[in-house]
Amino acid sequence: MTSLTDSSPSSTATLLVSCADQRGIVATLAQALFGRGANILDADQHTDPVAGQFFQRIRIDLAELVGDRPALEGVIREVAEQYGMRWSLRYGSRRKRVAVFVSRYDHCLYDLLLRERSGELNGEIALIVSNHPDLEGIARQFEVPYHLLPITKENKASQESKEIDLLRAEQIDLVVLARYMQVLSGTFIAAFPSQIINIHHSFLPAFIGGRPYHQAHERGVKLIGATAHYATTDLDEGPIIEQDVTRASHRDSVADLVRRGRDLERVVLARAVRWHLEDRVLAFGRKTVVFS
Amino acid sequence: MTSLTDSSPSSTATLLVSCADQRGIVATLAQALFGRGANILDADQHTDPVAGQFFQRIRIDLAELVGDRPALEGVIREVAEQYGMRWSLRYGSRRKRVAVFVSRYDHCLYDLLLRERSGELNGEIALIVSNHPDLEGIARQFEVPYHLLPITKENKASQESKEIDLLRAEQIDLVVLARYMQVLSGTFIAAFPSQIINIHHSFLPAFIGGRPYHQAHERGVKLIGATAHYATTDLDEGPIIEQDVTRASHRDSVADLVRRGRDLERVVLARAVRWHLEDRVLAFGRKTVVFS
Amino acid sequence: MTSLTDSSPSSTATLLVSCADQRGIVATLAQALFGRGANILDADQHTDPVAGQFFQRIRIDLAELVGDRPALEGVIREVAEQYGMRWSLRYGSRRKRVAVFVSRYDHCLYDLLLRERSGELNGEIALIVSNHPDLEGIARQFEVPYHLLPITKENKASQESKEIDLLRAEQIDLVVLARYMQVLSGTFIAAFPSQIINIHHSFLPAFIGGRPYHQAHERGVKLIGATAHYATTDLDEGPIIEQDVTRASHRDSVADLVRRGRDLERVVLARAVRWHLEDRVLAFGRKTVVFS
Amino acid sequence: MTSLTDSSPSSTATLLVSCADQRGIVATLAQALFGRGANILDADQHTDPVAGQFFQRIRIDLAELVGDRPALEGVIREVAEQYGMRWSLRYGSRRKRVAVFVSRYDHCLYDLLLRERSGELNGEIALIVSNHPDLEGIARQFEVPYHLLPITKENKASQESKEIDLLRAEQIDLVVLARYMQVLSGTFIAAFPSQIINIHHSFLPAFIGGRPYHQAHERGVKLIGATAHYATTDLDEGPIIEQDVTRASHRDSVADLVRRGRDLERVVLARAVRWHLEDRVLAFGRKTVVFS
């Protein structure tokens, strides 16, 4: 579908494909790549028997490519048309650009910035958007542009419109809602399909909506969770990318759950972001395929 | 409140107390026990600041008891009256008697029987009740009486009445619903307050009701869970004793989730049963205190 | 290398291959299978860059096979010779045959028998071997032949020789040491390369050798573990298939660790056995590739 | 033994005691506290039957204290002398002072600083000591004094002597070795008994010594771990406070293990530090009691 071509000398690329399941897909695609000198380094595939869908992630080595990149894309396009595939090819040299949306909580933002700086993320945090000025100091400290766009009932549509323009101008590939305390409109979400990751501070579908740690405390659960999912117009209903939990007990106050939850939120969100940036996640319907 | 006295020579006992939080409780109770020669081996306590409730579990050594057991119970009763405590004292020699309710799934039943036989449970499985004949062979193999009480819409009330009579005649302390596929009536549940443990095959409050593995598969969660809770008239709403989860992925079919879930159900139910039998669990409202 | 042909109508097969990493392997193999009408249902591969080794597991659908099974095996053999591959092809109808070796502990044996009976294992427990008579009753109850072969210093070689003959006569594919308290000789182990799975009751390489729970208790660790590995002549040094841990605390006596360890041993061993029976495990050197 | 008195109005205190197990300890201590108007908010105790040792942690409310703090300490001292107890009483207003030792890795340092700032730690990071200048920028950013003390074979003794003076002058209660890449001398360690916490990047006792992630990769383990322990003169042999693990697979390179290990190291070290600062940890011999 898309191909993010650039002129870098990097010699690997990642191909993601999905289509209705059919006979011969794997062999045809392998043969097409091999015919252009693209060596398969790694391939992972999945067939969902209920949905009748086929998914594949292929990492290829381009060092001995026969012809140029457009030629390679040409043979992939041919196979894709034959099988009715959606596909994307990302060259290794092309690092995805990330926008992080925050409000007042800093733990997820700090975590993502530190991981990016330590080289954990296959992408760069290009900018931060916030509806509050609180975290501007952190942005400055890490030398990332901070766009303050306060939201009121009145200005919401126009502010979101500015945000969309900004994200497009900056060629953003992924929006991360790192405890961003605003509900995005359907318009915004539709502008970035499967490109917005949200962290919800509960084990979805338990404790949907606000104050999940309060709900968890009141219910007396013995584990609390966090869920990273693609944002869709149905709040907290988007395809789940990753979840994890940690123990809770009768000794934990709401404040204790909040504290423990912070650790969970950070690692769950970081995993989802990392996997997305490594082209490991394919969303379909309400679910995701995550190639490990 | 209750005291399960017996004449055994066993020299330990476990005291559970709960009441509105007040000053001096710990010292008064410790002094009262000490005054009768009852040495405190182990004490764990918890104060719920929101509910304003105090909970304590004390294990005592009776080897150098001054006076007899009724005398000990007398001084505890005095303190209990002073502070408005609910209390129970169980002598170590008194093993609790358990009834396991099953339908067709055998994994939890097998698990409990094997654990009892290996000495893991501080209690004995006195009898099995089932609405199906399927698991009678297992009961025979472990030499446990099997009471077949099939349930129809028409006979439900009368069969439950027989069950209640049976459990009382057999002096049952704990009813374990080990994947028992019948909803108990309010009458039955009221007859055994905080004495019925159910295993639900999801991470409550997610996926309440039937077919939780199907619901989990459809929602695309990345973890599945199991929950052991005291049965109350609100289905799946009883106080949670224990929960645990295990990983799931896009590769898991519903059958895979069911298989993995069996392992979870067994260990989660076994932990809850073991803790209850060791007098480690105190229910209050919709929650439990579980002393580790 | 081996091909377990049979005449069953079952329409799937699993191909496992490994060789030195080379260009074009994936495409050549996919093309060869496709050319015989064998549709790839599922493929997982791994390249170990340090060892320079390539590993692949392919599940194929034989419903529209062109020609017979020997013809399919012929084209695989050709590719294998071209690339210097080790390979095995197992037809879906062929269930692997398992021998379980036990001594006195029954928890792993019970667990495997129950899982086999519930259909969790892609294989059948064909026989039980023991150096003690203790568990014969369980074997009888599940109607599995029990071979009592007591071991002394003097008779060890001859008894092992009988065991090897028995396993060969019974066409055993996998030997499971389910807390078998005898060290196998190098001769025995060499007779079943990567076909003997042992469960060690610690998180290897911590607490090698005897009484690991005692060692763990003495060291004051906060987690205890279990490890399933292929048996090699270096005790507790074989390639690890699976490991897991559970929490321990200062409150746990050695007996508590033993009890908790039983749960761990069961699930860790069961996972390793299941994966082996589904042809998901490839050993190389001191390591394993486990396709999930 | 020690009592960290101050004049703050804060109304709680934490008492830690340990001694040879004897009859009547709990009652005597509870009565003594009650007699001075010190209400017991929370009490946790443990008896190690093998070592014959008794341990207790009591949180008390001083709001209705009869007499002053020295009077309270007087009655505790009396009980302590009677039973041969070691004890410490810390008033809630007194926040412990922490020194963090680092070299070049910043993840644990950042983590501790962020946790302190968010109020998670019951203490303050008073200073940072390093043998390298690399992390000075982080110190400045969080406004914590950074003491650069490069270590060579020749100057080690004199630099450590300066460090000891510094820690004493600054009234440091806890030294945290947050991936400090220098072995401390016996003299240094003896100066701060049970007051130095180290993070080791393996599941001890597996992979003692240097490059544990390389060792883990070579051994092919399926889980990697991290261990926080008190530093003793026997390297990696000190009493373990906390451990945790995370999954590894054949797909993980050493670099992947290092990345995942960073997350583990951070949370394991943070837990150990938090518990120590809340007076939850009592070391005895090679073990710890950790009151939850």
Side-chain angles (χ1 to χ4, degrees), chain C residues 9-234:
Chain C
S10 162
S11 69
T12 65
T14 305
L15 175 64
L16 274 180
V17 306
S18 60
C19 60
D21 192 29
Q22 295 151 79
R23 299 180 58 80
I25 304 175
V26 174
T28 306
L29 197 53
Q31 198 54 43
L33 294 171
F34 186 59
R36 304 301 312 177
N39 193 38
I40 296 178
L41 294 171
D42 221 336
D44 205 351
Q45 68 175 76
H46 174 64
T47 304
D48 185 304
V50 178
Q53 286 289 306
F54 171 84
F55 308 88
Q56 194 171 27
R57 177 183 188 263
I58 306 179
R59 272 204 326 123
I60 51 186
D61 177 5
L62 307 175
E64 302 184 24
L65 199 61
V66 174
D68 60 5
R69 290 179 176 194
L72 173 68
E73 293 160 27
V75 301
I76 296 170
R77 190 171 295 111
E78 261 175 55
V79 176
E81 278 164 15
Q82 182 185 345
Y83 288 95
M85 280 177 183
R86 290 173 305 283
W87 65 284
S88 73
L89 181 68
R90 192 173 55 80
Y91 294 105
S93 52
R94 169 74 169 78
R95 297 184 78 214
K96 288 190 176 170
R97 290 171 60 78
V98 180
V100 181
F101 278 48
V102 292
S103 292
R104 287 187 158 125
Y105 295 113
D106 65 2
H107 56 286
C108 286
L109 176 61
Y110 252 118
D111 190 70
L112 291 169
L113 288 165
L114 288 170
R115 287 180 197 275
E116 187 223 32
R117 225 180 49 180
S118 73
E120 280 186 32
L121 303 181
N122 188 22
E124 59 178 312
I125 297 176
L127 60 92
I128 297 165
V129 169
S130 182
N131 58 334
H132 288 288
D134 308 41
L135 307 184
E136 185 153 17
I138 302 174
R140 199 159 36 225
Q141 175 186 315
F142 284 83
E143 298 175 4
V144 177
Y146 191 85
H147 298 265
L148 179 59
L149 289 150
I151 309 280
T152 63
K153 234 180 243 178
E154 289 68 35
N155 75 2
K156 179 159 186 164
S158 67
Q159 293 291 72
E160 278 200 348
S161 168
K162 275 184 211 162
E163 287 165 1
I164 292 172
D165 291 347
L166 172 68
L167 299 176
R168 288 193 171 139
E170 291 284 342
Q171 300 183 54
I172 295 301
D173 299 293
L174 174 66
V175 175
V176 179
L177 307 179
R179 300 297 309 274
Y180 181 61
M181 309 305 270
Q182 281 287 327
V183 176
L184 297 174
S185 72
T187 308
F188 188 103
I189 286 167
F192 302 96
S194 297
Q195 288 176 292
I196 308 172
I197 295 178
N198 182 44
I199 180 74
H200 182 78
H201 40 315
S202 86
F203 179 78
L204 288 176
F207 309 131
I208 284 170
R211 299 166 69 82
Y213 293 127
H214 287 79
Q215 292 183 57
H217 188 259
E218 200 179 312
R219 181 62 186 89
V221 290
K222 300 299 186 186
L223 298 167
I224 56 164
T227 303
H229 62 93
Y230 286 120
T232 56
T233 47
D234 287 333

Side-chain angles (χ1 to χ4, degrees), chain D residues 205-263:
Chain D
F207 308 131
I208 281 170
R211 298 166 68 83
Y213 293 127
H214 288 79
Q215 293 183 56
H217 188 259
E218 201 179 310
R219 182 62 188 89
V221 290
K222 300 300 186 186
L223 297 168
I224 55 164
T227 303
H229 62 93
Y230 286 118
T232 57
T233 47
D234 288 333
L235 207 61
D236 303 334
E237 291 287 326
I240 293 170
I241 304 169
E242 172 64 345
Q243 304 189 286
D244 215 337
V245 296
T246 196
R247 290 243 148 232
S249 87
H250 59 269
R251 296 195 191 277
D252 290 312
S253 64
V254 171
D256 291 327
L257 299 186
V258 168
R259 172 177 54 72
R260 293 185 177 206
R262 277 199 296 261
D263 278 349

Side-chain angles (χ1 to χ4, degrees), chain A residues 159-222:
Chain A
Q159 293 290 70
E160 278 200 347
S161 168
K162 276 184 211 162
E163 286 165 1
I164 293 173
D165 291 347
L166 172 68
L167 299 176
R168 287 193 173 141
E170 291 285 341
Q171 299 185 55
I172 295 302
D173 300 291
L174 173 66
V175 175
V176 179
L177 307 179
R179 299 297 308 276
Y180 181 62
M181 309 305 270
Q182 281 287 326
V183 176
L184 298 174
S185 72
T187 309
F188 188 103
I189 286 166
F192 302 96
S194 296
Q195 288 175 291
I196 308 172
I197 296 178
N198 183 44
I199 180 74
H200 183 78
H201 40 314
S202 86
F203 179 79
L204 289 176
F207 308 130
I208 283 170
R211 298 168 67 84
Y213 293 127
H214 288 78
Q215 292 183 56
H217 188 258
E218 201 179 310
R219 182 62 188 89
V221 291
K222 300 301 187 186

